[in-house]
């Protein structure tokens, strides 16, 4: 389950609501597959006249590979999304491929990381692979790079705080976004 609440610039209002449940099958300790659904809502700026909310539904499938190099825990994720959008009063179907690589390094040198401070570096590339002309007319959709410091409270819960840089390709203009992130990660 992934639930996200994102604010607009300067936290003026809630900009995005994302609800992403999924069912996971663990092939073994290093490999898992997941399938799920996303409800994503982009709320219109309340200060703009005639602005409309954008609602997107997605089905998604993903494969995750976990590994360890020295003290670093590495996660690689490949996700395929089937996107159902309403753009300019027109129903649009597209598919997007996402690749994420994350390295988490605990400060403790224990063989098993159960509690303590860690740092993480993550990069995710999103590519339009079907109907790109409806999205931004490019295969490249966006890139998200983040750096976080976190604290593992237990084997079941982490708290993160960090910086996210997102570069989004548009039809004509490209957008660079700088954001602060606060994250709670749980494992059951």
């Amino acid at each position: 389950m992934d639930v996200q609440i994102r604010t607009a610039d300067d936290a003026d209002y809630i900009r995005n609501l994302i609800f992403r449940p999924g069912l996971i099958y663990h092939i073994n300790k290093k490999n898992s597959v997941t399938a799920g659904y996303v409800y994503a809502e982009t709320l219109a700026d309340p200060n703009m006249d005639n602005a409309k909310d954008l609602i997107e539904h997605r089905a998604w499938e993903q494969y995750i590979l976990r590994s360890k190099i020295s003290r670093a825990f590495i996660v690689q994720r490949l996700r395929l999304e089937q996107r159902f959008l309403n753009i300019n009063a027109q129903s649009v179907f597209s598919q997007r491929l996402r690749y994420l690589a994350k390295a988490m390094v605990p400060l403790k040198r224990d063989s098993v990381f159960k509690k303590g401070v860690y740092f993480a570096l993550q990069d995710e590339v999103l590519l339009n692979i079907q109907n790109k002309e409806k999205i931004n007319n490019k295969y490249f959709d966006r890139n998200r790079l983040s750096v976080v410091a976190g604290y593992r409270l237990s084997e079941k819960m982490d708290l993160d705080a960090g910086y996210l840089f997102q570069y989004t390709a548009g039809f004509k203009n490209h957008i660079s976004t700088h954001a602060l992130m606060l994250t709670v990660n749980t494992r059951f």
Side-chain angles (χ1 to χ4, degrees):
M1 173 69 73
D2 178 16
V3 177
Q4 295 182 27
I5 299 171
R6 301 176 185 170
T7 64
D9 293 343
D10 301 323
D12 288 339
Y13 63 97
I14 301 295
R15 176 79 171 140
N16 299 96
L17 300 171
I18 299 172
F19 178 71
R20 184 184 288 120
L23 294 173
I24 301 172
Y25 176 72
H26 294 276
I27 299 166
N28 54 40
K29 289 184 178 184
K30 293 184 176 186
N31 299 277
S32 64
V33 291
T34 308
Y37 163 79
V38 174
Y39 174 84
E41 187 170 0
T42 301
L43 303 170
D45 184 338
N47 300 317
M48 292 180 62
D49 293 335
N50 301 321
K52 295 184 180 178
D53 295 348
L54 172 66
I55 295 174
E56 178 179 347
H57 301 275
R58 299 180 205 150
W60 58 277
E61 306 81 34
Q62 75 181 19
Y63 168 73
I64 290 181
L65 172 64
R66 290 177 174 77
S67 57
K68 188 174 180 190
I69 301 172
S70 186
R71 288 181 24 213
F73 293 90
I74 310 296
V75 173
Q76 295 181 77
R77 181 185 75 200
L78 190 62
R79 180 181 289 169
L80 180 63
E81 298 177 324
Q82 296 78 44
R83 305 174 70 196
F84 301 89
L85 305 106
N86 189 338
I87 299 173
N88 299 325
Q90 180 184 21
S91 293
V92 173
F93 172 78
S94 74
Q95 291 195 78
R96 182 166 64 187
L97 186 65
R98 300 169 65 154
Y99 173 73
L100 175 137
K102 178 179 182 178
M104 183 184 76
V105 180
L107 289 187
K108 278 188 171 183
R109 293 187 179 265
D110 297 342
S111 60
V112 178
F113 180 52
K114 294 184 178 182
K115 191 173 186 177
V117 177
Y118 61 88
F119 293 96
L121 177 65
Q122 175 177 304
D123 192 30
E124 183 177 24
V125 177
L126 292 78
L127 304 171
N128 297 310
I129 59 172
Q130 184 179 6
N131 285 338
K132 65 180 174 51
E133 61 280 352
K134 304 283 185 174
I135 306 301
N136 65 3
N137 208 29
K138 296 170 183 61
Y139 285 109
F140 178 80
D141 187 42
R142 66 190 64 192
N143 188 72
R144 294 181 177 138
L145 178 66
S146 62
V147 178
V148 300
Y151 189 81
R152 177 157 288 172
L153 298 168
S154 70
E155 289 183 81
K156 304 250 182 229
M157 183 176 284
D158 297 339
L159 298 176
D160 287 348
Y163 166 75
L164 168 75
F165 173 75
Q166 178 173 266
Y167 178 81
T168 305
F171 277 105
K172 294 180 182 177
N173 300 317
H174 307 302
I175 301 168
S176 294
T177 307
H178 304 273
L180 296 177
M181 301 184 320
L182 298 173
T183 308
V184 177
N185 295 302
T186 59
R187 291 169 293 284
F188 296 99

